[in-house]
């Protein structure tokens, strides 16, 4: 299986590139942010819980997020692989994902990281807030908190995957097609 962790700070372009990657490699796209938003829309218990964290730019607790992700993975029978988008976001999530995939006789092929500087991220998120109406993209303080949470909890995952020899960084600034080509180069050289 080809199991990719697509990594990068909020606004790095993970959603955009995921769509192109799933089409190219016939993978299943699992975005924890999208799944939470679908639950919020459907007014489920999980949605209510997730919203209370997302509105502040905080992470949804690990236990809830991990369980939700595992339930999504098992829904798919015989996939070529998965793109994990927005997951894992903490070391505990990464460890749980490794253990879970190992129990299914598979594992992570690589982490593809979109590298984008902070000024560019803030610009993109505010722009997306205008277009998408996502509440967490409209308030500069919440955006700053998401980036701070990213630096504190999520950025350490770079070394987690580096230690496994699985980290592949890609320049996340440029045209969508250029960035996509760089990601494909990394995958094709695995
Ligand atoms: P972005 O990458 O732009 O922050 P996402 O759609 O991936 O957007 O996530 C939106 C919000 O959903 C996050 O700020 C967080 O509150 C919650 N979330 C998404 N994925 C996770 C995760 N793996 N663990 C905890 N919270 C998550």
């Amino acid at each position: 299986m080809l199991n990719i962790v697509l990594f990068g700070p909020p606004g790095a372009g993970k959603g955009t590139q995921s769509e192109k990657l799933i089409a190219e490699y016939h993978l299943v796209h699992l975005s924890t942010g999208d799944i939470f938003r679908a639950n919020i829309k459907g007014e489920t218990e999980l949605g209510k819980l997730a919203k209370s964290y997302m509105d502040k730019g905080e992470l949804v607790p690990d236990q809830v997020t991990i369980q939700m992700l595992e339930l999504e993975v098992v829904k798919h029978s015989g996939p070529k692989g998965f793109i994990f988008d927005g997951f894992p976001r903490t070391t505990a999530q990464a460890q749980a994902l490794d253990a879970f995939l190992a129990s299914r006789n598979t594992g992570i092929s690589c982490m593809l990281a979109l590298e984008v500087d902070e000024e560019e991220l803030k610009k993109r998120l505010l722009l997306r807030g205008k277009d998408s109406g996502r509440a967490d993209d409209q308030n500069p303080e919440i955006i700053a908190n998401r980036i701070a949470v990213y630096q504190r909890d999520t950025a350490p995952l770079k070394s987690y995957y580096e230690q496994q020899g699985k980290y592949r960084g890609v320049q996340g600034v440029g045209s969508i097609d250029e960035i996509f080509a760089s990601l494909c180069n990394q995958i094709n050289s695995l």
Side-chain angles (χ1 to χ4, degrees):
M1 279 173 81
L2 179 62
N3 293 317
I4 294 172
V5 173
L6 192 59
F7 187 68
K14 298 188 292 289
T16 307
Q17 295 297 336
S18 288
E19 285 186 17
K20 296 177 74 73
L21 290 168
I22 53 170
E24 180 78 17
Y25 296 97
H26 310 288
L27 303 172
V28 175
H29 180 208
L30 291 185
S31 158
T32 40
D34 285 352
I35 302 168
F36 285 135
R37 280 185 288 276
N39 276 278
I40 292 173
K41 218 171 154 198
E43 297 179 350
T44 67
E45 283 305 313
L46 174 63
K48 277 181 220 155
L49 178 83
K51 189 174 182 334
S52 66
Y53 293 93
M54 291 167 76
D55 282 351
K56 290 183 279 189
E58 298 290 336
L59 294 182
V60 180
D62 281 337
Q63 208 197 344
V64 180
T65 306
I66 291 164
Q67 194 192 17
M68 175 185 83
L69 191 276
E70 293 182 357
L71 288 173
E72 288 295 322
V73 168
V74 300
K75 280 184 189 167
H76 301 273
S77 65
K80 287 202 165 165
F82 292 95
I83 293 193
F84 298 103
D85 166 4
F87 184 94
R89 256 176 156 97
T90 63
T91 304
Q93 291 180 13
Q95 288 166 340
L97 182 62
D98 277 347
F100 177 65
L101 292 178
S103 76
R104 299 174 67 82
N105 298 315
T106 184
I108 291 299
S109 312
C110 71
M111 164 181 267
L112 292 177
L114 292 167
E115 295 170 342
V116 181
D117 67 82
E118 196 167 320
E119 281 315 301
E120 172 73 18
L121 292 175
K122 286 184 180 157
K123 265 193 285 178
R124 288 188 192 178
L125 288 171
L126 283 168
L127 203 67
R128 184 167 83 185
K130 282 188 202 142
D131 297 341
S132 74
R134 257 179 68 170
D136 61 346
D137 283 342
Q138 291 180 18
N139 178 326
E141 277 167 32
I142 294 174
I143 290 178
N145 192 39
R146 280 160 64 203
I147 295 175
V149 169
Y150 174 82
Q151 297 296 0
R152 188 190 66 208
D153 295 338
T154 308
L157 290 181
K158 175 178 178 178
S159 59
Y160 180 90
Y161 286 97
E162 266 173 352
Q163 280 163 21
Q164 299 187 10
K166 291 180 180 171
Y167 181 86
R168 305 279 186 280
V170 161
Q171 160 78 262
V173 183
S175 75
I176 289 174
D177 287 337
E178 277 163 2
I179 299 165
F180 179 60
S182 310
L183 293 172
C184 292
N185 280 339
Q186 292 291 350
I187 294 173
N188 298 338
S189 64
L190 282 176

